[in-house]
Amino acid sequence: MPKFQAPRGTRDLLPADATTYRRMSDIASRLSELYGYRPIETPMFEDSAVFERGIGEVTDIVEKELFRIRSPGSDEDRWALRPEATAGICRAFVEHGMHTLPQPVRLATFGPMFRYDRPQAGRYRQFYQWNVEAIGDAGPAIDAELIELALRFVRDVGVQDVELHLNSIGDAACRPAYIAALVEYLAKYEDALPPTERHRLRANPLRVLDTRDARTQAILDDAPTIDAFLCPACRDHFDSLLAHLDRLEVPIHRAPRLVRGLDYYTRTAFELYQRGAEGQQSALGGGGRYDGLIELFGARPTPGVGFALGIDRIAMLAAKQGVAESIGKPVAVVVGADPAATDVRLALATQLRAAGVATGADLAPRKLGRQLEGAAREGAHFAIVIGDELEAGQVQLRDLEAGTQRLVNVADLVRELQRAHASHRHGESDTSPTAT
Ligand code: HAM
């Protein structure tokens, strides 16, 4: 075993994975621009209080998962690595007086987050999110815009079977009555609850709803849901959101017990799951409305709504569904019958690259058979075989996946490759299908 390894819960993203992440970041940038969400970058660490106040003192994230940092020479953990982006973005909104900008302020960021959790598949100590926020609009149309955007990202990545779980968790006017009903119900089972959940029941009862403990989950099966407690304003907001989503033809799954793991939410709360894979562990992303958060940072009340998608989990699902396989591979590799004619191969590859086709070239002076083996190993869709036909301006275009081959004019090669590759490839929705 090597002496040094990446810290537990972190991973090196080697070229295959890094390519997938890069592509997702590109899709995120393209969609942010398309929907009018402007980029923002906040520091990787903040005053711990930003997270304690924003996310909530009695949450897993703050109680157990903050990577706290001490300045040299200090005896106090004043800072913490960011476990999520929303609190920092709201801190920046207030600090820079963004309430004077035209509202809502639409912001997006893509980058690493840090949570000291027990590592397992899809749960890391350093993970990546695409985080999108709209601050300054009370909704509900903007809630629908964001939900549709989150689903659009997943669709553009090419991942299938993703379901939207949606709930309203009320607001300061109606939630207290629901919490009282929940506490009354859970109190009957207090002895059966594990110590953590008993602590939660007293300190922050809603958190019990996102327990990871199977016994508590079974007890919760019959617990009251918030639906019956929503006040007229929250009910209207939710009904209108449902109507907007219906108009956008976004299918939803009502999840009456969904509360999210952070305290700042009001009204709209949602999560994305692979169909049939529910449970806190496997959410591909989540978000909701946080109308009270900006106020906690000392500014006047300003509504907000947003989401974050878990890039690592979406990448895992993409790999499972075979979507990631075509990412980052050359569309074609140029090979040739004359091992020594590396100049001809390099010249044709350069010409195709200039036209925007991701092209490899076999530049070793080896036999054609070996060159073709290399092209297949690289995962190229096509091999362009240069032979005697080149004198007549033609090459053989071999489809390595279909095992077919035909003569093509060099002048038509770019168009032919783009057409054949685009019709084959999935998950691509922009207009440059060959630019991998
Ligand atoms: P969150 O639900 O805590 O929400 O995280 C969003 C997503 O990040 C999760 O659904 C999951 O896919 C991914 N994620 C969370 N923890 C890990 C981990 N340890 N390893 C891998 N992936 C993980 C938020 O962070 C909110 N700030 C979302 C938001 C934005 N709400 C409003 N605006």
Side-chain angles (χ1 to χ4, degrees):
M1 197 180 285
K3 188 165 175 197
F4 293 111
Q5 295 173 328
R8 203 162 116 76
T10 72
R11 293 157 307 146
D12 297 309
L13 296 174
L14 300 181
D17 288 332
T19 305
T20 305
Y21 278 57
R22 178 74 61 84
R23 200 172 101 80
M24 293 215 206
S25 153
D26 290 347
I27 293 174
S29 302
R30 181 169 54 78
L31 290 179
S32 298
E33 207 171 313
L34 202 60
Y35 284 65
Y37 287 78
R38 304 195 59 208
I40 183 164
E41 300 290 342
T42 60
M44 299 284 154
F45 64 97
E46 297 264 356
D47 210 317
S48 316
V50 168
F51 306 121
E52 287 156 358
R53 191 173 298 182
I55 298 166
E57 302 265 5
V58 188
T59 56
D60 273 354
I61 296 180
V62 168
E63 280 185 318
K64 299 194 259 176
E65 299 173 6
L66 273 191
F67 271 98
R68 294 178 185 271
I69 309 173
R70 181 167 300 196
S71 308
S74 162
D75 53 5
E76 178 205 10
D77 296 334
R78 164 130 192 236
W79 317 101
L81 289 181
R82 63 179 189 191
E84 57 107 53
T86 311
I89 289 176
C90 289
R91 191 264 313 137
F93 181 94
V94 174
E95 183 175 337
H96 303 286
M98 288 194 231
H99 58 270
T100 59
L101 301 175
Q103 306 285 298
V105 180
R106 289 177 165 89
L107 300 166
T109 197
F110 188 104
M113 308 292 155
F114 307 86
R115 295 185 193 177
Y116 188 76
D117 203 348
R118 181 142 26 100
Q120 51 189 273
R123 187 171 292 278
Y124 306 106
R125 289 179 175 170
Q126 176 174 335
F127 59 98
Y128 292 77
Q129 286 186 343
W130 179 41
N131 184 95
V132 185
E133 313 287 356
I135 303 176
D137 185 329
I142 194 124
D143 305 27
E145 172 179 291
L146 281 155
I147 288 172
E148 193 276 332
L149 173 56
L151 289 166
R152 167 80 187 264
F153 176 88
V154 172
R155 201 166 66 237
D156 282 8
V157 167
V159 166
Q160 313 280 326
D161 287 335
V162 172
E163 230 174 39
L164 174 81
H165 290 219
L166 181 65
N167 196 18
S168 171
I169 58 168
D171 64 7
C174 52
R175 209 182 304 151
Y178 169 62
I179 293 175
L182 181 67
V183 170
E184 193 184 325
Y185 170 84
L186 287 173
K188 289 187 284 191
Y189 301 94
E190 189 163 351
D191 292 344
L193 296 177
T196 332
E197 304 308 337
R198 249 180 280 155
H199 162 65
R200 300 246 140 117
L201 179 57
R202 278 186 294 274
N204 190 352
L206 274 188
R207 291 277 69 80
V208 181
L209 289 180
D210 48 43
T211 179
R212 295 184 197 169
D213 172 60
R215 240 176 113 184
T216 310
Q217 280 167 351
I219 291 171
L220 286 169
D221 278 347
D222 294 321
T225 59
I226 193 157
D227 217 46
F229 293 83
L230 291 181
C231 60
C234 287
R235 162 69 47 208
D236 280 356
H237 185 100
F238 195 46
D239 288 344
S240 174
L241 170 59
L242 293 174
H244 278 87
L245 289 172
D246 189 47
R247 180 78 196 273
L248 296 177
E249 297 181 16
V250 172
I252 62 140
H253 173 89
R254 283 290 297 273
R257 268 184 258 281
L258 189 156
V259 286
R260 312 270 301 121
L262 305 89
D263 275 356
Y264 50 61
Y265 292 107
T266 51
R267 298 189 170 166
T268 310
F270 58 92
E271 279 175 340
L272 267 53
Y273 286 96
Q274 184 193 1
R275 207 180 305 286
E278 295 172 27
Q280 193 69 14
Q281 313 277 354
S282 57
L284 300 169
R289 184 158 276 288
Y290 47 87
D291 293 344
L293 182 55
I294 294 274
E295 212 177 331
L296 289 181
F297 291 119
R300 63 161 187 250
T302 307
V305 56
F307 67 79
L309 296 184
I311 296 305
D312 311 77
R313 294 186 189 172
I314 295 175
M316 270 172 69
L317 187 56
K320 199 166 117 195
Q321 294 184 351
V323 177
E325 276 166 23
S326 63
I327 298 174
K329 307 226 165 120
V331 175
V333 172
V334 181
V335 299
D338 176 2
T342 50
D343 56 337
V344 183
R345 301 204 280 282
L346 180 57
L348 181 55
T350 305
Q351 197 183 323
L352 294 172
R353 289 166 182 162
V357 181
T359 311
D362 198 313
L363 299 178
R366 52 183 182 170
K367 289 194 176 133
L368 178 59
R370 299 287 302 283
Q371 295 181 43
L372 283 167
E373 276 168 31
R377 245 200 327 270
E378 277 197 60
H381 188 174
F382 298 99
I384 297 161
V385 188
I386 299 178
D388 294 341
E389 308 88 349
L390 190 62
E391 281 173 32
Q394 293 186 313
V395 288
Q396 292 284 354
L397 182 62
R398 185 181 292 199
D399 186 326
L400 295 170
E401 292 174 14
T404 54
Q405 180 166 312
R406 63 198 164 91
L407 267 179
V408 172
N409 288 326
V410 173
D412 298 333
L413 207 46
V414 170
R415 198 164 24 107
E416 288 281 339
L417 283 169
Q418 283 178 337
R419 198 167 47 89
H421 190 61
S423 67
H424 164 87
R425 194 168 163 177
H426 39 187
E428 192 66 35
S429 72
D430 64 13
T431 50
S432 54
T434 53
T436 45

